Amino acid sequence: MADHTWAPHPAPPPEVLPELDLPEPGRQRRWTVLLRWLLLIPQYIALLFLWIAASVVMVVGWFAALITGRLPEPIASFLTGYLVYSTRVTAYAMLLVDAYPPFAFLAPDHPVQVEVHPGKLNRLAVLFRIILLIPAAVVVELLILGWYVICPVFWVMVLIRGRMPRPLFEATAATARYDMRLYAYLMMLTAAYPKRLFGDAPAPGEQPRSATRPLLLSGAGKALVVVFLVLGAVLLIFDEFISATYDTSTTSQAPPP
């Protein structure tokens, strides 16, 4: 009987979740809170052009990752820089920090930091990246919609108190971190699928590196995350209902041919 030698299965790519470091919620200058959206206009203009460039780079990176199983170093470096920069803008927009984001990829002194380790990728997961992302993308859309529904209340609270309440900080940080992990997965900067929306499990003896590492959510913080999801779902359903009603009304009022 012939001997058969079976080649070992290749080890799956290591799933290292991208990490978001935020400082503890501190005092914010009320005038920057009042004018936050005006102050963000230059940032969003810069992000628009960077996103166009990142989209082109992602397409090239997708083909490269499909062939080689990893992103080329220059592509990974550019996309990582874009991810870090856009995350800083998001944190500033969501009132998580008062420090204005610099117009730069590298800003080691800024309080918002992102740690991501591009590496080996599963080619099959790269091939079906967009399809695999649909569930996480739906979650992010609901979270962001829900957050924006009640952000005027948050804005007034921070404007009056000069700081963000802890449960609100936890829920908003969880939203921003999950959104960052979604984009890191989309840009193939990690093999780890977005997870841990409701925070991290406490590890005995672990020394925290920042307010969000590990990200420990209180009961109130988790409840707010659920509120974001529910409000986002209600808004989507209401929007679909209004659109369907408008289409029906327009069709019924159209003159016969």
Side-chain angles (χ1 to χ4, degrees):
M1 181 180 294
D3 292 331
H4 295 278
T5 302
W6 298 97
H9 293 288
E15 294 195 352
V16 181
L17 278 169
E19 295 290 353
L20 173 63
D21 286 306
L22 293 172
E24 291 287 342
R27 299 290 299 179
Q28 299 202 36
R29 294 165 293 177
R30 288 180 174 85
W31 75 268
T32 67
V33 176
L34 179 65
L35 302 177
R36 186 67 48 108
W37 301 108
L38 289 176
L39 294 171
L40 278 167
I41 291 175
Q43 297 287 348
Y44 284 133
I45 293 174
L47 275 176
L48 173 63
F49 289 102
L50 285 172
W51 172 247
I52 294 172
S55 299
V56 175
V57 172
M58 269 193 290
V59 172
V60 177
W62 183 81
F63 283 103
L66 200 58
I67 296 171
T68 66
R70 65 171 61 244
L71 286 177
E73 178 60 32
I75 291 179
S77 178
F78 177 81
L79 293 179
T80 298
Y82 171 80
L83 178 70
V84 174
Y85 176 57
S86 63
T87 302
R88 290 194 181 114
V89 174
T90 298
Y92 187 73
M94 300 182 83
L95 302 174
L96 288 167
V97 293
D98 190 54
Y100 194 76
F103 292 93
F105 285 174
L106 297 177
D109 296 329
H110 195 270
V112 179
Q113 297 293 330
V114 173
E115 185 175 320
V116 60
H117 301 280
K120 189 70 175 173
L121 298 168
N122 185 310
R123 291 182 178 84
L124 193 61
V126 171
L127 179 63
F128 295 104
R129 206 60 153 200
I130 301 300
I131 296 175
L132 293 172
L133 269 175
I134 291 176
V138 170
V139 171
V140 166
E141 183 176 8
L142 296 180
L143 284 169
I144 299 297
L145 282 175
W147 189 91
Y148 275 107
V149 167
I150 49 180
C151 75
V153 178
F154 302 159
W155 178 77
V156 171
M157 291 174 62
V158 178
L159 189 62
I160 294 174
R161 299 178 74 251
R163 69 171 64 240
M164 181 175 281
R166 182 72 195 191
L168 176 57
F169 171 83
E170 294 169 359
T172 305
T175 299
R177 188 178 74 164
Y178 196 86
D179 179 67
M180 178 270 294
R181 286 177 172 174
L182 171 75
Y183 278 96
Y185 188 76
L186 169 66
M187 293 188 285
M188 296 161 290
L189 294 172
T190 179
Y193 198 79
K195 55 175 71 75
R196 299 180 189 170
L197 173 59
F198 290 94
D200 303 316
E206 181 181 10
Q207 294 298 320
R209 296 183 56 173
S210 67
T212 55
R213 196 168 176 189
L215 178 56
L216 304 177
L217 270 64
S218 62
K222 292 178 181 178
L224 276 173
V225 173
V226 174
V227 169
F228 295 166
L229 291 170
V230 172
L231 285 177
V234 170
L235 184 62
L236 276 183
I237 294 171
F238 179 75
D239 182 66
E240 289 295 327
F241 174 77
I242 294 297
S243 299
T245 303
Y246 176 78
D247 292 341
T248 303
S249 175
T250 303
T251 304
S252 62
Q253 293 177 8

